[in-house]
Amino acid sequence: MAENPYRLPRTVIPHRYRLRLEPDLEAATFAGDETVDVTVETEVEEIVLNCAEIEIESAQLTNGTLTIGASPSYDEEMERVRLVLETPAEPGAWELDLSFSGILNDKLRGFYRSRFTDVDGNEQFIATTQFESTDARRAFPCWDEPDFKARFEATLVVPADSMAITNTSEVERKDESDGRVAIRFAETMKMSTYLVAFIVGPFEATDPVDVDGVPTRIVAPRGKLGLADWALECAQFCFRYLRDYYAIPYPGDKLDHIAIPDFAFGAMENVGAITYRETALLIDPAQASQAEKLRILDVIGHEIAHQWFGNLVTMSWWEGIWLNEAFASFMEMKATDAFRPEWKRWLAFTAVERPWAMEVDHLTSTRPVEFEVRSPAEADQMFDALTYGKGSAVLRMIEQFIGEETFREGVGTYLRRHSYGNTVTADLWAGLDGASEWPVGDIMDTWILQGGYPEIEAALVDGALRLRQRRFLAIPDETDDTTWKVPVRLRGEAGGSTFESSHLLDDEETTVPLPTGVEWLTVNAGGSGFYRVAYSDDLLERLIANLADLDPTERYVLLDDRFAAARAGEAAMTSVLGLIDAFSDEDEQAIWQLVFRILGWVHHHLVDDGQLDAYAACVRSVGEPLVDRLGRESKPTDSDLTRRLRGQAVGTLGSLGRHPETIEWAQSTVTQYLDGVEITDAEMLTAALGVVAAQGERDSFTAFFKRFQESSNPQEQLRLLRALTAFDDADIGREVIDATIDGRIRNQDGSWVQASLLGNRQAGGDNWAEVRRRWDETVEVCPPMTFRRLAEGLPALSRPEVAADVKAFFAETPVPMADKAIAQNLELLEANLLARQRETEAVRGWLETTT
Ligand SMILES: [Zn+2]
């Protein structure tokens, strides 16, 4: 800690901040006063704290008898101010008084301004905050490090007709005689600065619901409260579920969930005042798809999980952020799964979050989940697939290995032991080690402190199972001899009965005895292991012959492992295309989603332009029987996932399969929708929008864009925005990119919208040229922390001449806010380029013989 120049000196420790903030929404400025109770530990001549884009007007230190003046000296690069004291201050208790002023920026961080158009067409302003990782210092001078925990008591002076929200309940309000009102809020618990929040503006709130003693509200920009019911239902369930899981009372005095029109992240877990982007909170459930409702449930579960894990117990420094985010992501799955078991959240986790992490983590440019962080810029880059995805996946792996109840006990011990304090990762392992027979800390260190994951080769040798591990890489490297302590769970059938066993593979190779007469076995029982499995040919054949005996997650990882192996050159992609036939009787939406993903990936990277018709016929041969089986109309008996699967199947049939009747159906559905006819099945509407967009017609684009601009429903806007990126046409791509820069598309969405455009099969290269041409403007308007999303579009650009241009561009264009993500996605691009060179010929031959 001492060597890190970004850490503040520990000579002065804050305990309590009394803050008064007066935001001026029109002028985009604010004025503030604060009194901080501090302890001076050793005699000091200056006080150093964080401060950025703030002007300190006066500063003094008092202890009741003595007052010492102080003058500010700013260090902009380090985002600090040194308050140089007129005379040294003795050790003891002091009060630091500061007056200051600052700006409400438009960068979606610190104290910033968001805007929206109300129902009467008037532009309205909101002042709101986003402090994580290190932007509280843009709202008030403070010790802006997570282990400087303190109490906060805020007074907000705001227009009388505005709503003002912070971490705690309102306790007093006074008229200010100038049309404003000063609202004082209760003192918070002892907490980190990054969890403080202030939100001011024309909001409205649901009546508080008493959730076991905790008032809970959904807050939305005026006019949008009609979209709050689903969020309120999710919030109540998740709150109770999580509190019961942790078995610790909620540490705050109320809990608000607030929708913000401009928001860089998905949501932020501020103590008692969780902020969300609108699409992560507001929805009309009657017109929403399962995925849209799930997204809201997920985010709410995640942010409430943080109220204990992260807010009550907090990492000491930013390298511990993985634990915070991984754990909240893990708990989000548990809460969601409990609320809607029929949505099979853990299967969806295996189909979405786990592969998202595995995609980055099979690169040499991956990083350990826990990674040294020194500067704020490095802290901001930690919010990635490894922190959220791999972190939660390896927690799931160890939970399933040691047992759910054992895991829960260990977590409870950890939280109770460290309440209101700060921790390092080893503290959690200590809690789990106390509860489990297995050496949890030793096992987890190999997954957390080193990057990557293994592939386990499984083969039968003399009636026993030989397991061998080696690192699995997108571009294989025989010289890499990293190993992991792999918690392996076996399950299979022998002599007509099933068997299960757990093993710790902590060497390169081990042999496991098996019962006699093994018919089949899986080396990743339940599919929760964060590793790939390469079965010997005979074991693979037995698995394929017994697919129905595997659980859905096991079937999923079997197919996904084969697809990953083919992409890495360990198997032929045509063998994966052949394997899809074995899944023709499959019922699980998540597994079909993988089939469609494989078909889409092959279409994008491996199919020659001259063979698109042949490939479409191949897609139809997969999609038509499925759609025939599901029917084209929803039935009252359909589960939500069946309805979702129908939408995805019809969408794939129409876009990749170019199925004429499906295209016709989509066009007529979209025409009705644009004419104002209510389409009640959101899954089918989403499918129809995608199919029509895939036709690339300019008139459709114009109509979609108009509807996008007119809509005030955040879910509808998002649905249309996705469709706008699916028109595979360079002129349209150029126009969409222009809209991300001139503000017709909100800056919060610019990065992912541009990334999606790079994924167009024909126009992707031209879209890249346009992204490149307008790079500086994009950097200017899009929030820095969203650039990772833009990087995620690069691997699609695998045509050799485009890939070369991409690499050349980033070789000379530094992107400090996302350099790690850029490096990772360029490596993935390289792997895709190699796969294209290696596999295109074979896919051509395969298409000639199968169609
Ligand atoms: Zn989180």
PDB file of all heavy atoms in Angstrom, residues 132 267-269 302-303 306 324-326 328-329 332 383 388, ligand 1:
ATOM      1  N   GLU A 132     -18.817   5.255  -8.296  1.00  0.00           N
ATOM      2  CA  GLU A 132     -17.876   4.163  -8.464  1.00  0.00           C
ATOM      3  C   GLU A 132     -17.218   4.264  -9.844  1.00  0.00           C
ATOM      4  O   GLU A 132     -17.922   4.503 -10.819  1.00  0.00           O
ATOM      5  CB  GLU A 132     -18.591   2.805  -8.359  1.00  0.00           C
ATOM      6  CG  GLU A 132     -17.603   1.672  -8.242  1.00  0.00           C
ATOM      7  CD  GLU A 132     -18.263   0.312  -7.997  1.00  0.00           C
ATOM      8  OE1 GLU A 132     -19.462   0.169  -8.267  1.00  0.00           O
ATOM      9  OE2 GLU A 132     -17.566  -0.590  -7.540  1.00  0.00           O
ATOM     10  N   ALA A 267     -26.578  -0.472 -13.628  1.00  0.00           N
ATOM     11  CA  ALA A 267     -27.147   0.051 -12.393  1.00  0.00           C
ATOM     12  C   ALA A 267     -26.018   0.267 -11.404  1.00  0.00           C
ATOM     13  O   ALA A 267     -24.890  -0.157 -11.647  1.00  0.00           O
ATOM     14  CB  ALA A 267     -28.169  -0.922 -11.823  1.00  0.00           C
ATOM     15  N   MET A 268     -26.328   0.938 -10.291  1.00  0.00           N
ATOM     16  CA  MET A 268     -25.311   1.201  -9.267  1.00  0.00           C
ATOM     17  C   MET A 268     -25.924   1.029  -7.896  1.00  0.00           C
ATOM     18  O   MET A 268     -26.967   1.602  -7.589  1.00  0.00           O
ATOM     19  CB  MET A 268     -24.752   2.619  -9.452  1.00  0.00           C
ATOM     20  CG  MET A 268     -23.738   3.031  -8.386  1.00  0.00           C
ATOM     21  SD  MET A 268     -22.243   1.996  -8.445  1.00  0.00           S
ATOM     22  CE  MET A 268     -21.792   2.003  -6.718  1.00  0.00           C
ATOM     23  N   GLU A 269     -25.231   0.251  -7.061  1.00  0.00           N
ATOM     24  CA  GLU A 269     -25.789  -0.223  -5.795  1.00  0.00           C
ATOM     25  C   GLU A 269     -25.684   0.762  -4.643  1.00  0.00           C
ATOM     26  O   GLU A 269     -25.606   0.335  -3.483  1.00  0.00           O
ATOM     27  CB  GLU A 269     -25.085  -1.528  -5.398  1.00  0.00           C
ATOM     28  CG  GLU A 269     -23.594  -1.373  -4.993  1.00  0.00           C
ATOM     29  CD  GLU A 269     -22.608  -1.596  -6.123  1.00  0.00           C
ATOM     30  OE1 GLU A 269     -22.998  -1.433  -7.294  1.00  0.00           O
ATOM     31  OE2 GLU A 269     -21.446  -1.929  -5.846  1.00  0.00           O
ATOM     32  N   HIS A 302     -29.155  -8.299  -8.381  1.00  0.00           N
ATOM     33  CA  HIS A 302     -27.718  -8.005  -8.263  1.00  0.00           C
ATOM     34  C   HIS A 302     -27.475  -6.827  -7.320  1.00  0.00           C
ATOM     35  O   HIS A 302     -26.657  -6.888  -6.400  1.00  0.00           O
ATOM     36  CB  HIS A 302     -27.176  -7.714  -9.663  1.00  0.00           C
ATOM     37  CG  HIS A 302     -25.717  -7.398  -9.719  1.00  0.00           C
ATOM     38  ND1 HIS A 302     -24.782  -8.292 -10.156  1.00  0.00           N
ATOM     39  CD2 HIS A 302     -25.038  -6.280  -9.389  1.00  0.00           C
ATOM     40  CE1 HIS A 302     -23.581  -7.744 -10.098  1.00  0.00           C
ATOM     41  NE2 HIS A 302     -23.709  -6.505  -9.639  1.00  0.00           N
ATOM     42  N   GLU A 303     -28.198  -5.754  -7.532  1.00  0.00           N
ATOM     43  CA  GLU A 303     -27.941  -4.532  -6.752  1.00  0.00           C
ATOM     44  C   GLU A 303     -28.384  -4.697  -5.297  1.00  0.00           C
ATOM     45  O   GLU A 303     -27.738  -4.175  -4.389  1.00  0.00           O
ATOM     46  CB  GLU A 303     -28.638  -3.328  -7.392  1.00  0.00           C
ATOM     47  CG  GLU A 303     -28.277  -3.078  -8.857  1.00  0.00           C
ATOM     48  CD  GLU A 303     -26.789  -3.001  -9.145  1.00  0.00           C
ATOM     49  OE1 GLU A 303     -26.021  -2.596  -8.249  1.00  0.00           O
ATOM     50  OE2 GLU A 303     -26.384  -3.396 -10.261  1.00  0.00           O
ATOM     51  N   HIS A 306     -25.772  -6.557  -3.340  1.00  0.00           N
ATOM     52  CA  HIS A 306     -24.657  -5.701  -2.924  1.00  0.00           C
ATOM     53  C   HIS A 306     -24.905  -4.977  -1.598  1.00  0.00           C
ATOM     54  O   HIS A 306     -23.956  -4.528  -0.962  1.00  0.00           O
ATOM     55  CB  HIS A 306     -24.438  -4.599  -3.958  1.00  0.00           C
ATOM     56  CG  HIS A 306     -23.525  -4.964  -5.089  1.00  0.00           C
ATOM     57  ND1 HIS A 306     -22.294  -5.541  -4.897  1.00  0.00           N
ATOM     58  CD2 HIS A 306     -23.649  -4.787  -6.425  1.00  0.00           C
ATOM     59  CE1 HIS A 306     -21.700  -5.700  -6.092  1.00  0.00           C
ATOM     60  NE2 HIS A 306     -22.504  -5.255  -7.032  1.00  0.00           N
ATOM     61  N   ASN A 324     -16.631  -8.399  -4.915  1.00  0.00           N
ATOM     62  CA  ASN A 324     -17.865  -7.635  -4.826  1.00  0.00           C
ATOM     63  C   ASN A 324     -18.817  -7.988  -5.982  1.00  0.00           C
ATOM     64  O   ASN A 324     -19.979  -8.359  -5.791  1.00  0.00           O
ATOM     65  CB  ASN A 324     -17.462  -6.157  -4.912  1.00  0.00           C
ATOM     66  CG  ASN A 324     -18.442  -5.231  -4.286  1.00  0.00           C
ATOM     67  OD1 ASN A 324     -19.418  -5.669  -3.706  1.00  0.00           O
ATOM     68  ND2 ASN A 324     -18.191  -3.958  -4.413  1.00  0.00           N
ATOM     69  N   GLU A 325     -18.295  -7.882  -7.203  1.00  0.00           N
ATOM     70  CA  GLU A 325     -19.136  -8.058  -8.395  1.00  0.00           C
ATOM     71  C   GLU A 325     -19.436  -9.526  -8.667  1.00  0.00           C
ATOM     72  O   GLU A 325     -20.533  -9.883  -9.089  1.00  0.00           O
ATOM     73  CB  GLU A 325     -18.471  -7.421  -9.611  1.00  0.00           C
ATOM     74  CG  GLU A 325     -18.365  -5.900  -9.519  1.00  0.00           C
ATOM     75  CD  GLU A 325     -19.703  -5.241  -9.247  1.00  0.00           C
ATOM     76  OE1 GLU A 325     -20.762  -5.869  -9.451  1.00  0.00           O
ATOM     77  OE2 GLU A 325     -19.699  -4.071  -8.812  1.00  0.00           O
ATOM     78  N   ALA A 326     -18.449 -10.374  -8.450  1.00  0.00           N
ATOM     79  CA  ALA A 326     -18.668 -11.801  -8.690  1.00  0.00           C
ATOM     80  C   ALA A 326     -19.743 -12.316  -7.746  1.00  0.00           C
ATOM     81  O   ALA A 326     -20.643 -13.052  -8.140  1.00  0.00           O
ATOM     82  CB  ALA A 326     -17.374 -12.572  -8.479  1.00  0.00           C
ATOM     83  N   ALA A 328     -22.112 -10.607  -6.129  1.00  0.00           N
ATOM     84  CA  ALA A 328     -23.445 -10.059  -6.434  1.00  0.00           C
ATOM     85  C   ALA A 328     -24.027 -10.738  -7.667  1.00  0.00           C
ATOM     86  O   ALA A 328     -25.231 -11.001  -7.737  1.00  0.00           O
ATOM     87  CB  ALA A 328     -23.362  -8.550  -6.621  1.00  0.00           C
ATOM     88  N   SER A 329     -23.188 -11.043  -8.650  1.00  0.00           N
ATOM     89  CA  SER A 329     -23.680 -11.720  -9.856  1.00  0.00           C
ATOM     90  C   SER A 329     -24.146 -13.137  -9.513  1.00  0.00           C
ATOM     91  O   SER A 329     -25.172 -13.607 -10.024  1.00  0.00           O
ATOM     92  CB  SER A 329     -22.581 -11.787 -10.923  1.00  0.00           C
ATOM     93  OG  SER A 329     -22.145 -10.491 -11.247  1.00  0.00           O
ATOM     94  N   GLU A 332     -27.378 -12.832  -7.643  1.00  0.00           N
ATOM     95  CA  GLU A 332     -28.434 -12.430  -8.584  1.00  0.00           C
ATOM     96  C   GLU A 332     -29.059 -13.675  -9.213  1.00  0.00           C
ATOM     97  O   GLU A 332     -30.283 -13.773  -9.349  1.00  0.00           O
ATOM     98  CB  GLU A 332     -27.783 -11.507  -9.620  1.00  0.00           C
ATOM     99  CG  GLU A 332     -28.346 -11.507 -11.012  1.00  0.00           C
ATOM    100  CD  GLU A 332     -27.357 -10.875 -12.013  1.00  0.00           C
ATOM    101  OE1 GLU A 332     -26.387 -10.197 -11.599  1.00  0.00           O
ATOM    102  OE2 GLU A 332     -27.566 -11.063 -13.220  1.00  0.00           O
ATOM    103  N   PHE A 383     -14.192  -3.694 -14.479  1.00  0.00           N
ATOM    104  CA  PHE A 383     -15.609  -4.071 -14.585  1.00  0.00           C
ATOM    105  C   PHE A 383     -15.856  -4.843 -15.881  1.00  0.00           C
ATOM    106  O   PHE A 383     -16.494  -4.356 -16.798  1.00  0.00           O
ATOM    107  CB  PHE A 383     -16.495  -2.829 -14.456  1.00  0.00           C
ATOM    108  CG  PHE A 383     -16.391  -2.200 -13.094  1.00  0.00           C
ATOM    109  CD1 PHE A 383     -15.376  -1.309 -12.801  1.00  0.00           C
ATOM    110  CD2 PHE A 383     -17.281  -2.561 -12.096  1.00  0.00           C
ATOM    111  CE1 PHE A 383     -15.255  -0.764 -11.523  1.00  0.00           C
ATOM    112  CE2 PHE A 383     -17.165  -2.023 -10.817  1.00  0.00           C
ATOM    113  CZ  PHE A 383     -16.157  -1.133 -10.536  1.00  0.00           C
ATOM    114  N   TYR A 388     -17.030 -10.110 -13.417  1.00  0.00           N
ATOM    115  CA  TYR A 388     -18.428 -10.534 -13.247  1.00  0.00           C
ATOM    116  C   TYR A 388     -18.627 -12.002 -13.628  1.00  0.00           C
ATOM    117  O   TYR A 388     -19.182 -12.781 -12.870  1.00  0.00           O
ATOM    118  CB  TYR A 388     -19.357  -9.695 -14.131  1.00  0.00           C
ATOM    119  CG  TYR A 388     -19.540  -8.267 -13.698  1.00  0.00           C
ATOM    120  CD1 TYR A 388     -18.653  -7.275 -14.091  1.00  0.00           C
ATOM    121  CD2 TYR A 388     -20.619  -7.900 -12.899  1.00  0.00           C
ATOM    122  CE1 TYR A 388     -18.830  -5.954 -13.701  1.00  0.00           C
ATOM    123  CE2 TYR A 388     -20.811  -6.587 -12.506  1.00  0.00           C
ATOM    124  CZ  TYR A 388     -19.904  -5.617 -12.911  1.00  0.00           C
ATOM    125  OH  TYR A 388     -20.088  -4.320 -12.520  1.00  0.00           O
TER     126      TYR A 388
HETATM  127 ZN    ZN B   1     -22.442  -4.978  -9.103  1.00  0.00          ZN
END
